[in-house]
Amino acid sequence: MKNRFFYFMGIFFLLAAKLKQIINGYSPRSHKIKDLNDRYEYNSNVIKQWMKYLDHDDKNHLIENKNVIEIGPGSDLGIGITLINLGVKNYYAIDTIRLANPNKKFIKNYLKILNKNTPIKNNNVNYYKDRLNYLISKDFDLCSDMELKNVDYVFSQASMEHWTDVEKNIREISTKAKNGCIFVAEVDL
């Protein structure tokens, strides 16, 4: 009886959320400086969580000069900027809907927030812009949409539960991964 109650309450809230999105549409997070502080905190926690799963003492060193894919980055690419600052060679974010706008103004503002919290290796906005690749693929077709091969890490934060064909997506990712690639995914259930 108790489980059934929670089951129906879950369905109710899912339907309410869907109805809200139908009525209001998707509203991405603000990119004002005061709001970017909160985004930085969230992004830092996500990266720390991912690094926790990597079995190595110096986890930041582990990602230096590596190629990284983030699946479903959401409404900002702050994680990519942070990873590039930590030494990632190339960062590719792939999503099915354009939610982020990785323009120079956003990168500059995010670097200001990042600089308050960690040493910046390079203040040149173009340094980040050149390594920050944002791909939109409605069909999640990595083979045709992404030229990068030899990916070292694939990260995903609360996006896999939205995939319609998990096996196909894993096969697509595998075509870009080099031998020994590590896939770290946090899944919201």
Side-chain angles (χ1 to χ4, degrees), residues 11-26:
I11 289 175
F12 170 76
F13 283 110
L14 285 172
L15 291 173
K18 182 66 175 173
L19 182 62
K20 178 184 172 195
Q21 184 178 359
I22 290 170
I23 293 170
N24 296 331
Y26 178 80

Side-chain angles (χ1 to χ4, degrees), residues 114-181:
L114 189 61
N115 196 30
K116 289 179 187 176
N117 297 285
T118 188
I120 298 288
K121 293 182 179 177
N122 191 324
N123 270 327
N124 183 343
V125 171
N126 288 328
Y127 173 81
Y128 294 87
K129 185 86 172 137
D130 293 344
R131 288 160 179 75
L132 198 66
N133 302 283
Y134 186 44
L135 306 170
I136 305 304
S137 176
K138 185 175 180 172
D139 300 324
F140 198 78
D141 185 4
L142 288 173
C143 287
S144 63
D145 292 334
M146 188 166 42
E147 64 208 37
L148 179 69
K149 293 197 184 294
N150 297 321
V151 172
D152 298 284
Y153 295 100
V154 178
F155 295 115
S156 176
Q157 180 68 25
S159 72
M160 282 183 71
E161 64 270 19
H162 302 286
W163 296 5
T164 54
D165 190 344
V166 174
E167 289 180 23
K168 174 189 173 266
N169 296 141
I170 296 292
R171 275 193 308 275
E172 293 283 329
I173 292 166
S174 296
T175 65
K176 300 299 176 178
K178 75 181 204 182
N179 194 15
C181 176

Side-chain angles (χ1 to χ4, degrees), residues 87-113:
V88 163
K89 181 178 177 182
N90 288 298
Y91 167 86
Y92 281 79
I94 186 162
D95 216 331
T96 57
I97 302 169
R98 179 172 295 282
L99 300 175
N101 184 8
N103 60 37
K104 288 184 178 184
K105 181 180 177 186
F106 169 76
I107 294 170
K108 184 178 178 181
N109 287 338
Y110 199 84
L111 286 173
K112 287 179 188 175
I113 302 300

